[in-house]
Amino acid sequence: MTAALPTARSVPARPTAFTFDPGTVALLVIDMQRDFLLPGGFGESLGNDVALLQAVVEPLAALIAAARAADVPVIHTREGHLPDLSDCPPAKLLRGNPSQRIGDPGRFGRILIRGEYGHDIVDELAPVAGEVVIDKPGKGAFYATELSEVLARDGIETLLVTGVTTEVCVHTTVREANDRGYRCLVVSDCVGSYFPEFQRVGLDMIAAQGGIFGWVADSAAVVTALTPTAAGSAPAR
Ligand code: C5J
């Protein structure tokens, strides 16, 4: 990956300061979908407290706004399946003992089915025209998607990773990204878990062992680094 350029920005982070070139960075927003976040949705039907995920919305909205202002690409993902469930392995469909399964009718339409209201992104974080939305059948954003091609096309080398849930789709995606050579900064208050202990340990695991999967910083530090006046120069795009 490239060495720091003159336009490089630095973010206080764990385990070390994180530098990035604003011309080769993208903000990845993972699965901020109604099915996971809204009361009455799939996440809550699994017995989860969705308030823990909703706490992510406000700081993430501010981070997305900063990325857009800095001309940093914002890439959204949605976990979900085709209406005939042909892309959902039986092992995923039948796992656990939820009151409702993927594809069943739920309060917001068929659960985690593409095109349904619940499958889409919450209003506060809705993509704007021109932003890429990756539909993914798995937990990782690279598996069976066009994400690699999108990143290569846009010359992206570094990912600012946000979304839900920390220990599932965020972790899987960060691990996939690592194996593909991307540098990942996970934004601590812009990722969320239904389980506070998984949130804490999930973030610790990213930064452990000298940053085995990447770096961890809070959104205030990332917004400061993205803001041209604070960073002292305009982005390279
Ligand atoms: C889960 C996700 N937790 N987006 N999905 O099933 O993390």
Side-chain angles (χ1 to χ4, degrees):
M1 294 291 169
T2 42
L5 297 172
T7 54
R9 308 293 167 80
S10 183
V11 181
R14 289 192 284 148
T16 59
F18 180 77
T19 55
F20 68 90
D21 170 1
T24 60
V25 72
L27 175 60
L28 191 58
V29 182
I30 297 174
D31 299 359
M32 293 298 290
Q33 295 162 253
R34 297 184 182 112
D35 275 336
F36 294 124
L37 273 94
L38 293 192
F42 181 49
E44 196 174 75
S45 82
L46 297 173
N48 297 308
D49 177 5
V50 293
L52 293 169
L53 267 53
Q54 287 177 356
V56 169
V57 171
E58 191 176 324
L60 182 49
L63 180 58
I64 290 172
R68 287 175 181 153
D71 209 13
V72 165
V74 180
I75 300 172
H76 307 258
T77 73
R78 298 182 295 203
E79 180 179 353
H81 298 278
L82 297 170
D84 66 1
L85 295 173
S86 58
D87 60 350
C88 185
K92 179 177 182 182
L93 194 58
L94 301 175
R95 193 166 309 150
N97 189 26
S99 57
Q100 294 174 307
R101 294 190 187 279
I102 294 169
D104 285 351
R107 178 151 166 208
F108 305 120
R110 291 182 68 202
I111 292 168
L112 289 184
I113 297 297
R114 294 182 191 176
E116 300 285 346
Y117 181 78
H119 172 262
D120 212 350
I121 294 165
V122 295
D123 294 343
E124 299 92 323
L125 307 177
V128 297
E131 289 178 351
V132 172
V133 180
I134 302 279
D135 280 318
K136 63 188 187 63
K139 303 304 183 194
F142 288 87
Y143 169 68
T145 73
E146 68 278 28
L147 181 57
S148 288
E149 289 73 22
V150 168
L151 298 178
R153 179 197 70 193
D154 291 348
I156 301 300
E157 299 177 353
T158 301
L159 297 171
L160 307 174
V161 185
T162 65
V164 299
T165 62
T166 307
E167 75 280 11
V168 183
C169 290
V170 170
H171 245 264
T172 306
T173 299
V174 167
R175 290 167 188 240
E176 287 182 328
N178 263 270
D179 286 346
R180 288 163 174 78
Y182 296 96
R183 300 168 67 245
C184 295
L185 174 69
V186 178
V187 187
S188 57
D189 52 333
C190 292
V191 295
S193 171
Y194 298 119
F195 305 96
E197 69 271 34
F198 291 174
Q199 172 79 358
R200 181 180 59 77
V201 174
L203 292 172
D204 285 351
M205 288 171 71
I206 300 287
Q209 300 180 73
I212 191 122
F213 294 123
W215 289 257
V216 176
D218 64 29
S219 61
V222 181
V223 168
T224 298
L226 285 172
T227 304
T229 48
S233 62
R237 282 174 191 279

